[in-house]
Amino acid sequence: MEDCVFCKIRKRELPSTTLYKDDDMMIIKDINPQAKVHLIAIPNTHVPYIDMMTEEGINVLAKIISKISHCQEELGITNGYRLVVNQGEDGGQTVGHVHIHILGGEKLKDF
């Protein structure tokens, strides 16, 4: 929490390019993009892993997914996109705060 990069961004202690923000979530540009458009959707409440989320937290994730689907043009992903959640060390999670990567803006490679 105190050392969480996403919490610091939310509190404006670290810079970011914020595309959307409300009482529950924010969408920012990734500083190390892996696609033409690489954004990160972050719940405001700090929870390290999905399996630690309350029902309220799960509802915020649903709101995030809904917001993404309704803001495709503003986010630059009108021709399709990929949502990625890395869960735990083996899943490639490097920041201990639940977040969703939004990748698009180009034809994405299969993985």
Side-chain angles (χ1 to χ4, degrees):
M1 303 216 243
E2 287 182 19
D3 60 341
C4 173
V5 66
F6 293 150
C7 290
K8 288 180 178 182
I9 288 170
R10 183 179 51 78
K11 292 187 265 185
R12 296 188 175 140
E13 295 172 4
L14 290 175
S16 71
T17 302
T18 303
L19 302 177
Y20 178 83
K21 185 174 186 173
D22 66 24
D23 291 339
D24 295 317
M25 54 151 320
M26 64 189 309
I27 299 175
I28 63 172
K29 288 188 176 184
D30 192 293
I31 61 169
N32 185 26
Q34 303 299 306
K36 184 176 178 183
V37 174
H38 187 168
L39 310 172
I40 304 175
I42 308 161
N44 288 342
T45 302
H46 180 89
V47 178
Y49 304 106
I50 288 176
D51 55 7
M52 298 172 79
M53 295 189 95
T54 63
E55 185 174 337
E56 181 180 335
I58 297 298
N59 289 336
V60 170
L61 285 182
K63 177 184 175 182
I64 289 171
I65 292 169
S66 177
K67 179 55 73 178
I68 294 166
S69 70
H70 288 95
C71 294
Q72 293 176 49
E73 188 169 330
E74 296 87 351
L75 299 176
I77 54 173
T78 54
N79 214 28
Y81 55 93
R82 180 177 295 158
L83 302 179
V84 178
V85 177
N86 299 321
Q87 171 72 13
E89 186 178 340
D90 285 356
Q93 185 177 2
T94 59
V95 177
H97 186 128
V98 172
H99 57 284
I100 300 172
H101 293 266
I102 307 162
L103 303 161
E106 65 185 334
K107 176 80 171 167
L108 300 172
K109 296 178 184 174
D110 293 335
F111 59 97

